[in-house]
Amino acid sequence: MLLIVLAYLGGALTILSPCILPVLPFVFARADQPFVRSGLPLLAGMALTFALVATLAAVGGGWVAEANQYGRWLAIALLAIFGLTLLLPRFADYLMRPLVSAGNRLSTFAQGNGQQVRAGSSFLLGIATGLLWAPCAGPILGLVLTGAALRGASVGTTLLLVAYAAGAATSLAVALLIGGRVFAAMKRSLGAGEWIRRGIGAAMLCGVAAIALGADTGVLTRVSTIATSGLEEKLINRLSPRTTPASVVSANNPAHVDAAPVAEPVVTPAVVTPAVNRGSAGVGEAMQVAATNVAPLPVEGVLPTLDGAVQWLNSPPLTTQALRGKVVLVDFWTYSCINCLRSLPYVKAWAQKYKDQGLVVIGVHAPEFAFERNIGNVTKATHDLGIDYPVAIDNNYAIWRALNNQYWPAHYFVDAKGQIRYHHFGEGDYAQSEKVIQQLLAEAGHPGAAKMATGLLDASAQGVQAAADSVDLQSPETYIGYEHAENFVSPGGEAQDQPHTYIAPSQPDLNEWGLAGRWNVGAENATLAAASGTIVYRFHARDLHLVLGPGSDGKPVRFRVTIDGAAPGNAHGTDVAADGSGTVTSQRLYQLVRQTGEVKDHTFSIEFLDPGVEAYSFTFG
């Protein structure tokens, strides 16, 4: 019952989202008709069509998507014709002549020419509109669809989807009732019924054009995520809080939240492997651990379905059935996560070393920031990082939730029977993880396992992927967006979602930071709204990284880095020259500082010389 309430409330919130805009002209086209015979059947047709298509999409195969696309384009054509009949009465008269009587009745209804409104025609129009309706894929709908995919066809699945659709239909019904009164008042006072009808026809055609061009699921959906996801997340957290581990936290990075977007950190239960400190030890410590034997591995669960991936890279879609007989390592990562990048050399080395002995590595890319949902960005990052094993794009967190995961990075080790036998969260403990791989391969009795090299690899790495200097690491991951920002000390604090001129702190204490110049601070990032701007941070670490993007226009942004007011020299990172110059060209993590001598407290400053840059978070190592 609680899930049904959540689904209903989540659907009701779609009226606040811009992605509902393409549907509104079709709804308000019936605003001057009786609600019971016109508006209500229309909304019922929309809701039922969405629930049916969503159910089929969740439990069916690729043929459903294809059928839905054909139906979508048919609906676009049908509603474009309806829009033209509203806009051009003569066209409507000409069009109706050769059509059968049923078509005449539907077109007459669409024109609203005063004839009696038929509930059946409204219901059919609602079905057509429902094929076009692309509700905002917020956390609640994501949970509903994930549950549908996991459980398959069931009454419970259909009820959740109907509840979501009913919530959206309810909010639209309220708008329709209010809109109907406004329209009626306008017609009585101005006598503008004909122009209103034509205006609705024009709006309907604009909506059809927006949907045909993909604006309903593209730009509008991205905007709607900002508008409603926070409200939905609060509903989920309040009505159904999580009680599972939510963060890999350490004394070095106490503020980092490697968690699902709707979770808050909680204490890790004793039955789960203890979280590993950030900037974990390098190969030396790993080899010391290798001297111990792997304890007997219990069965922790079963590898769930992988059907929730929206796309696969380097491989056709994989299924749990096809993976039987193989040992599987599932690696949850996201490409701007420094901890994921530092563990990546080991994952790649395992994939290469044991692929002929029966190991399959699957990278599950679950995004933290909005730009990491862009499949083109993930594809480029995968290529640049040299990842050649299968990568599942988990933009809807379907696989993430199916495993009840809360961490970046997270490694799940699965035996040949499809059973989860071991897991590890965070960096480090690589020797133990490799011993687990060897043990599971030996259990599987794969023909190649007899020739397996049992020595432990040394996957030392350079640049960003090099192991952190945990001894001198005293600065935590720090988010710049106001949703998770801490230790911000520019006078006046952060102004949310509006351009504001900031002044940098003159003498920040350790781990304090601030902005200078005109910035627009959003929930997950800050965007430079002027020709130049600066970020200042007082840190203590060998390495300093900053997740940056060039802005919505994609134009490169030049920057200049200083440490204690001077060029970094030998302390420059891989993305910075010795004189401190650099350029933001893509949305990713940039290494800006790597000290070569003694690590001390320093004041870092980065000045951007062009507008539009987006800054997301600092990480250290």
Side-chain angles (χ1 to χ4, degrees), residues 480-483 485 488 490-502 513 515 517-523 525-527:
I480 293 176
Y482 62 76
E483 189 171 19
F488 181 78
S490 285
E494 288 183 308
Q496 298 184 5
D497 298 316
Q498 59 181 325
H500 181 75
T501 301
Y502 295 90
W513 65 284
L515 301 172
R518 192 163 183 79
W519 293 82
N520 188 347
V521 180
N525 63 33
T527 303

Side-chain angles (χ1 to χ4, degrees), residues 24-25 27-33 175-193 195-201 203:
L24 292 181
V27 176
F28 282 116
R30 309 273 66 80
D32 59 345
Q33 304 293 347
L176 181 59
L177 289 171
I178 297 175
R181 295 174 184 173
V182 173
F183 273 46
M186 291 176 64
K187 292 176 70 173
R188 286 196 302 269
S189 60
L190 301 178
W195 288 106
I196 292 174
R197 184 177 64 82
R198 292 185 179 184
I200 292 173

Side-chain angles (χ1 to χ4, degrees), residues 103-124:
N104 278 318
R105 287 195 295 272
L106 186 58
S107 178
T108 301
F109 159 71
Q111 295 180 62
N113 61 1
Q115 295 182 7
Q116 184 179 11
V117 177
R118 297 180 181 273
S121 299
S122 294
F123 185 75
L124 290 175

Side-chain angles (χ1 to χ4, degrees), residues 249-480:
V249 179
S250 75
N252 292 327
N253 276 349
H256 186 77
V257 180
D258 291 341
V262 297
E264 293 296 332
V266 295
V267 177
T268 303
V271 295
V272 176
T273 301
V276 178
N277 287 347
R278 289 302 187 212
S280 55
V283 178
E285 180 177 336
M287 296 303 291
Q288 293 177 8
V289 179
T292 62
N293 294 323
V294 176
L297 301 175
V299 175
E300 299 180 353
V302 178
L303 179 66
T305 177
L306 303 173
D307 295 342
V310 301
Q311 188 168 322
W312 286 79
L313 305 179
N314 302 331
S315 169
L318 299 178
T319 65
T320 52
Q321 279 299 115
L323 291 170
R324 290 295 175 91
K326 300 286 187 178
V327 173
V328 180
L329 167 57
V330 177
D331 172 29
F332 281 94
W333 71 296
T334 187
Y335 80 84
S336 75
C337 166
I338 184 60
N339 310 103
C340 301
L341 294 175
R342 289 197 291 245
S343 66
L344 188 58
Y346 288 89
V347 177
K348 290 167 55 180
W350 292 331
Q352 182 65 30
K353 180 179 179 180
Y354 297 107
K355 65 178 181 180
D356 294 333
Q357 282 75 49
L359 176 68
V360 176
V361 174
I362 300 174
V364 178
H365 188 276
E368 180 177 14
F369 298 118
F371 66 81
E372 293 172 314
R373 294 177 178 273
N374 185 306
I375 295 177
N377 288 348
V378 181
T379 302
K380 182 179 185 301
T382 300
H383 176 269
D384 293 345
L385 292 168
I387 298 173
D388 56 7
Y389 50 77
V391 174
I393 307 297
D394 195 26
N395 278 356
N396 297 327
Y397 302 96
I399 304 174
W400 176 288
R401 290 191 175 105
L403 275 167
N404 202 24
N405 186 55
Q406 305 267 332
Y407 307 83
W408 291 288
H411 300 140
Y412 295 87
F413 299 81
V414 183
D415 65 19
K417 298 178 181 179
Q419 302 172 131
I420 299 172
R421 301 286 298 281
Y422 184 75
H423 65 269
H424 184 269
F425 303 139
E427 300 176 51
D429 219 5
Y430 301 117
Q432 178 77 358
S433 294
E434 187 172 0
K435 295 282 285 184
V436 168
I437 293 173
Q438 294 175 353
Q439 180 171 334
L440 294 181
L441 288 173
E443 287 183 8
H446 192 276
K451 301 179 181 180
M452 181 173 58
T454 57
L456 301 180
L457 57 84
D458 179 355
S460 58
Q462 304 297 321
V464 172
Q465 298 183 31
D469 179 6
S470 58
V471 175
D472 289 315
L473 181 56
Q474 298 180 22
S475 291
E477 177 167 15
T478 302
Y479 290 90
I480 293 176

Side-chain angles (χ1 to χ4, degrees), residues 3 31 55 57 78 132 255 274 287 334 339 344 390 418 466 544:
L3 288 178
T55 300
L78 179 62
L132 296 172
M287 296 303 291
T334 187
N339 310 103
L344 188 58
L544 180 148

